[in-house]
Amino acid sequence: MSSIKVKIKQQDLNKIREICQAHGNEPGELINVLQQTQEHFGYLPAEIQEAVANELGLPVAKVYGVVTFYSFFTMIPQGRYPISICTGTACYVRGADNVLQEFKRQLGIAVGETSEDGKFSLNCLRCVGACGLAPVVLVGDKTYGRVSPDGVKDIIAEYQDKE
Amino acid sequence: MENVKVTIDNQTVEVPKGTTIYKAAKQIGIDIPVLCYMELEDIGIENKPGGCRVCSVEVEGRHNLAPACATEVFDGMAVKTHTMRVINARRTIVEFLLSDHPKDCLTCKKSGNCELQDLAIKLGIREIPGQEYAEMSTYKTDYSPSIVRELDKCIMCRRCESMCNDFQTVGALNAINRGFDAAVAPAFEMDLQYSPCTYCGQCVAVCPTGALTEVDHSRDLIDAISDPNTTVVAQTAPAVRAALGEEFGMEPGTLVTGKMVSALRELGFDYVFDTDFAADLTIMEEGHELLDRLNRHLQGDSDVKLPMLTSCCPAWVRFIEHHFPDMKDIPSSARSPQQMFGSIAKTYFADQIETPREKMVVVSVMPCLAKKYESQREEFAEDGNPDVDFSVTTRELAHLIKEANLDLKNLSDDDFDRPMGESTGAGVIFGTTGGVIEAATRTAYELQTGQQLNDQIVFEQLRGFEGIRKANVDFNGTPINIGIAHGLGNARKLLEQIKRGESDFHAIEIMACPGGCIGGGGQPLHHNDTKILKARQQAIYQEDQNKPIRKSHENPQIQKLYKDFLGEPLGQKAHELLHTKYFDLSRKIEIS
Ligand code: SF4
Ligand code: SF4
Ligand code: SF4
Ligand code: FES
Ligand code: FES
């Protein structure tokens, strides 16, 4: 019998410590700490959660509970071109769901997943404040308006040949 | 405090402001059904997620129904607990719960003892509307050495989480995901055995459904008894006799020692022995170890580790191994009574009856789930043959007795076999919080002072139900400070004191379960009535009082064991067979 070892890179651990310290190592700050940690790493893999738990003195089950409860946390690395589909009311009414289904079909991934080549990931968003352009799709920082299922192919093609 | 008047089902009651409808109703004898809600009085645990709504009641002037467990009363409030609207709502809620619940009640381990099943019966549920279309959540069943998790049966009451996080401060379980996928699970949904779970079984003890149950060894037991070539030896823990009767409709606190012995004989055990014998043996070793550490300390040896912590609760041992690995050298090195019994049975006793250890099956009957895990720890085996082959709970024994159609109430009162069935009152009180340290004190006092305790055999200052207790025992001029904690959250507080160097205890007893082993995870379910635990505690003290010998070192069979076989307490043979060491099982963050 022996202890369970969790491996993490020194620089990653330093970053986590820095974030936790900025929040006074307060267990009550867990959500904010996770938010910043995700901002830095792009996602929250197991070893990062273990390290956060260790720094804040919380059971790792608790950290995992919070990560799985809130939809804005993810344990899967985002694609290099993260695709977000607005499913806010205006976009929804104007057919966002059909657009979403088309992205799923063409990329062969579900919401919250990343394509095998690591290029694309798929997520849904609440109203992004561009209702006039509904349905709205974001790829990274770029906004696409009035997207129809037929237009999905072109959006994907735009990034397909990029690295 | 300000009082308010409320009328419930036309009865008026005055309660302090802030009281919930549920509790106000309880005061006047009105029972409102609950499911997710749980209150364990005396140990300060309340689980109040207000999620299931089974406790819905009608409040005059409020248009929707109110959850009685989570709604505070106000002055002039009028509540109705059983209008047709309430009854219909309750039924719909339970129907809804059942639509996503496996319907295998006939073969479910919890059948007959399940709060969800009770509700379905009470509400006369005959069909589950929409069942054809209902999507069922599916989880894989998780088997650990002690506990089975079947999350398909989880109703998300989160009682287990309250026990694991608030009472035990272990943090193995937490609510995960949301909506339909919600469940209570270890981090990353890994199996319980890779989590810091201590196997205390307190989550199992409060789970209202069959989602959390013990690993069942009854079939292994039947196989062993059926095999004519094996000698099957039973050992029964002290707390079992104070609770087994409840499974047969007897009052909580009824002692059934003799009837339990008869039942085990009727079931076909070759020898029926008592773990209390091994508890006396534990005291010989642990008591001498305490005196050894104490005397070295009094002589100014600064290397000696004090306080000494007891080590007979395997859940507590696993807790320190996981959470305080840097303190793993302060518990006594004495094995638990279960394991001492196993190693003596398969050496000393096996020699006496000229049976090789491979042909002997040692079965322990325990109030405990952690003992299942403990019996499987690698260090407690010789050439792969475990000292204790397996451990069954009080509940499993009750099932076997029922299966054999034995009427426990009317069985004769038999006595344990010899030599390993001889025990003292000191061995019996191991079953309750404070008992181990009281037993150790009886022996240590006499050995240290050379004086007989005679009439002062009972140390009242060590008894009670408080989570943390402190007492001072005068060893003829030398004051000995003793601490007692039950519940790992309470243990944690004492450990942190020790860590900070603020502790002046010489010895501390720690038990993981509420009330000690009488409240173990393998006992008949208390269904949140902690008065039952107190009744069991009284029964244990009663049994102590009934015993002609009440000090471990006066047990004649223990004296004989040392004379013929072991030699001296803490001697070499004792060390080999009766002591152990602890491991660092904590999670460690390492740089890759
Ligand atoms: S057995 Fe005890 S430690 Fe393990 S999950 Fe249940 S309550 Fe937590
Ligand atoms: S496992 Fe049992 S106690 Fe825990 S949330 Fe599910 S039903 Fe409740
Ligand atoms: S207190 Fe007793 S029943 Fe509970 S885990 Fe410890 S040994 Fe087992
Ligand atoms: S709803 Fe999509 S931008 Fe407002
Ligand atoms: S018992 Fe009141 S909400 Fe569940």
Side-chain angles (χ1 to χ4, degrees), chain B residues 482-537:
Chain B
I482 292 174
I484 296 164
H486 53 124
L488 297 171
N490 293 323
R492 180 185 286 275
K493 287 186 198 146
L494 292 186
L495 287 177
E496 269 159 9
Q497 271 179 21
I498 298 173
K499 222 174 175 171
R500 289 194 302 266
E502 291 165 7
S503 171
D504 62 352
F505 291 119
H506 298 105
I508 300 178
E509 176 201 288
I510 296 173
M511 291 287 157
C513 296
C517 301
I518 48 170
Q523 291 283 56
L525 299 174
H526 52 63
H527 293 296
N528 313 332
D529 182 357
T530 42
K531 284 197 288 301
I532 293 177
L533 305 187
K534 290 187 166 171
R536 292 176 190 163
Q537 186 179 45

Coordinates of all heavy atoms in Angstrom, one line a residue, chain B residues 482-537:
Chain B
I482 N -7.0 12.2 29.5 CA -7.5 11.3 28.5 C -8.5 12.0 27.6 O -9.3 12.8 28.1 CB -8.2 10.1 29.2 CG1 -7.1 9.2 29.8 CG2 -9.0 9.2 28.2 CD1 -7.7 8.1 30.7
G483 N -8.4 11.8 26.3 CA -9.4 12.4 25.4 C -10.1 11.3 24.7 O -9.6 10.2 24.5
I484 N -11.4 11.6 24.3 CA -12.2 10.7 23.6 C -12.9 11.4 22.4 O -13.4 12.5 22.6 CB -13.3 10.1 24.5 CG1 -12.6 9.3 25.6 CG2 -14.3 9.2 23.7 CD1 -13.5 9.0 26.8
A485 N -12.9 10.8 21.2 CA -13.6 11.4 20.1 C -14.3 10.3 19.4 O -13.7 9.2 19.2 CB -12.7 12.1 19.2
H486 N -15.6 10.5 19.0 CA -16.2 9.6 18.1 C -16.7 10.5 16.9 O -17.2 11.6 17.1 CB -17.3 8.7 18.7 CG -18.4 9.4 19.4 ND1 -19.7 9.3 19.2 CD2 -18.3 10.3 20.5 CE1 -20.4 10.0 20.0 NE2 -19.6 10.6 20.8
G487 N -16.6 9.9 15.7 CA -16.8 10.7 14.5 C -15.4 11.2 14.1 O -14.7 11.8 14.9
L488 N -15.1 11.1 12.8 CA -13.8 11.5 12.3 C -13.6 13.0 12.3 O -12.5 13.5 12.4 CB -13.5 10.8 11.0 CG -13.4 9.3 11.1 CD1 -13.4 8.7 9.7 CD2 -12.3 8.8 11.9
G489 N -14.7 13.7 12.2 CA -14.6 15.2 12.2 C -14.1 15.6 13.6 O -13.3 16.5 13.7
N490 N -14.6 15.0 14.6 CA -14.2 15.2 16.0 C -12.7 14.8 16.2 O -11.9 15.5 16.8 CB -15.1 14.6 17.0 CG -16.5 15.2 17.0 OD1 -16.6 16.4 16.9 ND2 -17.5 14.3 17.2
A491 N -12.4 13.7 15.6 CA -11.0 13.2 15.7 C -10.1 14.2 15.0 O -9.0 14.5 15.5 CB -10.9 11.8 15.0
R492 N -10.5 14.7 13.9 CA -9.7 15.7 13.1 C -9.3 16.9 14.0 O -8.2 17.4 14.1 CB -10.4 16.2 11.9 CG -9.7 17.2 11.1 CD -10.5 17.8 9.9 NE -10.7 16.8 8.8 CZ -9.8 16.7 7.8 NH1 -8.7 17.4 7.8 NH2 -10.0 15.8 6.9
K493 N -10.4 17.3 14.8 CA -10.1 18.5 15.7 C -9.0 18.2 16.7 O -8.1 19.0 16.9 CB -11.4 18.9 16.5 CG -12.4 19.5 15.6 CD -13.6 20.0 16.4 CE -14.8 20.3 15.4 NZ -16.1 20.0 16.0
L494 N -9.0 17.0 17.3 CA -8.0 16.6 18.3 C -6.6 16.5 17.6 O -5.6 16.9 18.1 CB -8.4 15.3 19.0 CG -9.6 15.4 19.9 CD1 -9.8 14.1 20.7 CD2 -9.4 16.5 20.9
L495 N -6.6 15.9 16.4 CA -5.4 15.7 15.7 C -4.7 17.1 15.3 O -3.5 17.2 15.4 CB -5.6 14.9 14.4 CG -5.9 13.5 14.5 CD1 -6.1 12.8 13.2 CD2 -4.7 12.7 15.2
E496 N -5.6 18.0 15.0 CA -5.0 19.3 14.6 C -4.5 20.0 15.9 O -3.4 20.7 15.8 CB -6.1 20.2 13.9 CG -5.9 19.9 12.4 CD -7.1 20.3 11.6 OE1 -8.1 20.9 12.1 OE2 -7.1 19.9 10.4
Q497 N -5.1 19.8 17.0 CA -4.5 20.3 18.3 C -3.2 19.7 18.5 O -2.2 20.4 18.9 CB -5.4 19.9 19.4 CG -6.5 20.9 19.7 CD -7.4 20.4 20.9 OE1 -7.0 19.6 21.7 NE2 -8.6 20.9 21.0
I498 N -3.1 18.4 18.3 CA -1.8 17.7 18.6 C -0.7 18.3 17.7 O 0.4 18.6 18.1 CB -1.9 16.2 18.3 CG1 -2.9 15.6 19.3 CG2 -0.5 15.5 18.5 CD1 -3.2 14.1 19.0
K499 N -1.1 18.5 16.4 CA -0.2 19.0 15.4 C 0.3 20.4 15.8 O 1.5 20.7 15.6 CB -0.9 19.1 14.1 CG -0.1 18.7 12.9 CD -1.0 18.6 11.7 CE -0.2 18.3 10.4 NZ -1.0 18.1 9.3
R500 N -0.6 21.2 16.3 CA -0.2 22.6 16.7 C 0.6 22.6 18.1 O 0.9 23.6 18.6 CB -1.4 23.5 16.9 CG -2.1 23.8 15.6 CD -3.1 24.9 15.7 NE -4.1 24.6 16.7 CZ -5.3 24.1 16.4 NH1 -5.6 23.9 15.1 NH2 -6.2 23.9 17.3
G501 N 0.7 21.4 18.7 CA 1.4 21.3 19.9 C 0.6 21.8 21.1 O 1.1 22.2 22.1
E502 N -0.7 21.8 20.9 CA -1.6 22.4 22.0 C -2.3 21.3 22.8 O -3.2 21.6 23.6 CB -2.7 23.2 21.4 CG -2.2 24.5 20.8 CD -3.2 25.1 19.9 OE1 -4.4 24.7 19.8 OE2 -2.9 26.1 19.2
S503 N -1.8 20.0 22.6 CA -2.5 19.0 23.3 C -1.8 18.5 24.5 O -0.6 18.3 24.4 CB -2.7 17.8 22.3 OG -3.2 16.7 22.9
D504 N -2.5 18.3 25.6 CA -1.8 17.8 26.8 C -2.3 16.4 27.1 O -2.2 16.0 28.3 CB -1.9 18.8 28.0 CG -3.3 19.0 28.4 OD1 -4.2 18.5 27.7 OD2 -3.5 19.6 29.5
F505 N -2.9 15.8 26.1 CA -3.4 14.4 26.4 C -2.3 13.4 26.5 O -1.3 13.5 25.8 CB -4.4 14.0 25.3 CG -5.7 14.8 25.3 CD1 -6.0 15.5 24.2 CD2 -6.5 14.7 26.4 CE1 -7.2 16.2 24.2 CE2 -7.7 15.4 26.4 CZ -8.1 16.2 25.3
H506 N -2.5 12.4 27.3 CA -1.6 11.2 27.3 C -2.1 10.1 26.4 O -1.3 9.4 25.8 CB -1.4 10.7 28.7 CG -0.7 11.8 29.6 ND1 -1.5 12.5 30.6 CD2 0.5 12.2 29.7 CE1 -0.6 13.3 31.2 NE2 0.6 13.2 30.6
A507 N -3.4 10.0 26.4 CA -4.0 9.0 25.6 C -5.3 9.5 25.0 O -6.1 10.2 25.7 CB -4.3 7.7 26.4
I508 N -5.6 9.0 23.8 CA -6.9 9.4 23.1 C -7.5 8.2 22.5 O -6.8 7.5 21.8 CB -6.7 10.5 22.1 CG1 -6.0 11.8 22.7 CG2 -8.0 10.9 21.4 CD1 -5.7 12.9 21.7
E509 N -8.8 8.1 22.7 CA -9.5 7.0 22.0 C -10.3 7.6 20.9 O -11.0 8.6 21.0 CB -10.5 6.3 23.0 CG -11.4 5.3 22.3 CD -12.7 5.0 23.0 OE1 -12.7 4.3 24.0 OE2 -13.8 5.4 22.5
I510 N -10.2 7.0 19.7 CA -10.9 7.5 18.6 C -11.7 6.3 17.9 O -11.2 5.3 17.7 CB -10.0 8.1 17.5 CG1 -9.4 9.4 18.2 CG2 -10.8 8.5 16.3 CD1 -8.3 10.0 17.4
M511 N -13.0 6.6 17.7 CA -13.9 5.7 16.9 C -14.5 6.5 15.8 O -15.0 7.6 16.0 CB -15.0 5.2 17.9 CG -14.5 4.2 19.0 SD -14.0 2.7 18.2 CE -12.9 2.1 19.4
A512 N -14.7 5.9 14.7 CA -15.2 6.6 13.5 C -16.7 6.8 13.6 O -17.2 7.8 13.0 CB -14.8 5.9 12.2
C513 N -17.4 5.9 14.2 CA -18.9 6.0 14.1 C -19.5 6.7 15.2 O -19.0 6.8 16.3 CB -19.4 4.5 14.0 SG -18.8 3.7 12.5
P514 N -20.7 7.2 15.0 CA -21.4 7.9 16.1 C -21.7 7.0 17.2 O -22.4 6.0 17.0 CB -22.7 8.5 15.4 CG -22.9 7.7 14.2 CD -21.5 7.2 13.8
G515 N -21.2 7.3 18.4 CA -21.5 6.4 19.6 C -20.5 5.3 19.6 O -20.5 4.4 20.5
G516 N -19.5 5.2 18.7 CA -18.6 4.1 18.6 C -19.2 3.0 17.8 O -20.2 3.2 17.0
C517 N -18.8 1.7 18.0 CA -19.2 0.6 17.1 C -20.7 0.4 17.3 O -21.3 -0.2 16.3 CB -18.5 -0.6 17.5 SG -16.7 -0.5 17.3
I518 N -21.4 0.7 18.4 CA -22.8 0.6 18.5 C -23.6 1.3 17.3 O -24.6 0.9 16.9 CB -23.4 1.1 19.8 CG1 -22.8 2.5 20.1 CG2 -23.1 0.1 20.9 CD1 -23.5 3.2 21.2
G519 N -22.9 2.4 16.8 CA -23.5 3.1 15.7 C -22.8 2.8 14.4 O -22.8 3.6 13.4
G520 N -22.2 1.6 14.3 CA -21.4 1.2 13.1 C -22.2 1.1 11.8 O -23.5 0.9 11.9
G521 N -21.6 1.1 10.7 CA -22.2 1.1 9.4 C -22.8 -0.3 9.1 O -23.5 -0.4 8.1
G522 N -22.6 -1.3 9.9 CA -23.1 -2.6 9.6 C -24.3 -3.0 10.6 O -24.8 -4.1 10.5
Q523 N -24.7 -2.1 11.4 CA -25.7 -2.3 12.4 C -27.1 -2.2 11.8 O -27.3 -1.6 10.7 CB -25.6 -1.3 13.5 CG -24.4 -1.4 14.4 CD -24.5 -2.6 15.4 OE1 -24.7 -3.7 15.0 NE2 -24.3 -2.3 16.7
P524 N -28.1 -2.8 12.5 CA -29.5 -2.5 12.0 C -29.7 -1.0 11.8 O -29.2 -0.2 12.6 CB -30.3 -3.0 13.2 CG -29.5 -4.1 13.9 CD -28.1 -3.6 13.7
L525 N -30.4 -0.7 10.8 CA -30.5 0.8 10.4 C -31.3 1.5 11.5 O -32.3 1.0 11.9 CB -31.2 0.9 9.1 CG -30.4 0.2 7.9 CD1 -31.2 0.3 6.6 CD2 -29.1 0.9 7.7
H526 N -30.8 2.6 11.9 CA -31.5 3.4 12.9 C -32.5 4.4 12.4 O -33.3 5.0 13.1 CB -30.5 4.2 13.8 CG -29.5 5.0 13.0 ND1 -29.9 6.1 12.3 CD2 -28.1 4.9 12.9 CE1 -28.8 6.6 11.7 NE2 -27.7 5.9 12.1
H527 N -32.5 4.5 11.0 CA -33.5 5.4 10.4 C -33.6 6.8 11.1 O -34.6 7.3 11.4 CB -34.9 4.7 10.2 CG -34.8 3.6 9.3 ND1 -34.6 3.7 8.0 CD2 -35.0 2.3 9.5 CE1 -34.6 2.5 7.4 NE2 -34.9 1.6 8.3
N528 N -32.4 7.3 11.4 CA -32.2 8.6 11.9 C -32.7 8.8 13.4 O -32.8 9.9 13.8 CB -32.9 9.7 11.0 CG -32.6 9.5 9.6 OD1 -31.5 9.0 9.2 ND2 -33.5 9.9 8.7
D529 N -32.9 7.7 14.1 CA -33.3 7.8 15.5 C -32.1 7.5 16.3 O -31.8 6.4 16.6 CB -34.5 6.8 15.7 CG -35.0 6.9 17.1 OD1 -34.4 7.7 17.9 OD2 -35.9 6.2 17.5
T530 N -31.4 8.6 16.8 CA -30.2 8.4 17.5 C -30.5 7.9 19.0 O -29.6 7.5 19.7 CB -29.3 9.7 17.6 OG1 -30.2 10.8 17.8 CG2 -28.6 9.9 16.3
K531 N -31.7 7.9 19.4 CA -32.1 7.4 20.7 C -31.7 5.9 20.7 O -31.4 5.3 21.8 CB -33.5 7.6 21.1 CG -33.9 9.0 21.5 CD -35.2 9.1 22.2 CE -36.4 8.9 21.3 NZ -36.5 9.9 20.2
I532 N -31.8 5.2 19.6 CA -31.5 3.8 19.5 C -30.0 3.6 19.8 O -29.7 2.6 20.5 CB -31.8 3.3 18.0 CG1 -33.3 3.3 17.8 CG2 -31.2 1.9 17.8 CD1 -33.7 2.9 16.4
L533 N -29.2 4.5 19.4 CA -27.7 4.3 19.7 C -27.5 4.4 21.2 O -26.7 3.7 21.8 CB -26.9 5.4 19.0 CG -27.0 5.5 17.5 CD1 -26.0 6.5 16.9 CD2 -26.8 4.1 16.8
K534 N -28.2 5.3 21.8 CA -28.0 5.5 23.3 C -28.6 4.2 24.0 O -28.0 3.8 25.0 CB -28.8 6.7 23.8 CG -28.1 8.0 23.3 CD -28.7 9.2 24.0 CE -27.8 10.4 23.8 NZ -28.5 11.6 24.2
A535 N -29.6 3.6 23.5 CA -30.1 2.4 24.2 C -29.1 1.3 24.0 O -28.9 0.5 25.0 CB -31.5 2.0 23.5
R536 N -28.5 1.2 22.9 CA -27.4 0.2 22.7 C -26.3 0.4 23.6 O -25.7 -0.5 24.2 CB -26.9 0.2 21.2 CG -27.9 -0.2 20.2 CD -27.4 -0.1 18.8 NE -28.4 -0.3 17.8 CZ -28.2 0.1 16.5 NH1 -27.1 0.7 16.1 NH2 -29.2 -0.1 15.6
Q537 N -25.9 1.7 23.8 CA -24.8 2.0 24.7 C -25.2 1.5 26.2 O -24.3 0.9 26.8 CB -24.6 3.6 24.7 CG -23.4 4.0 25.5 CD -23.1 5.5 25.5 OE1 -24.1 6.2 25.7 NE2 -21.9 5.9 25.3

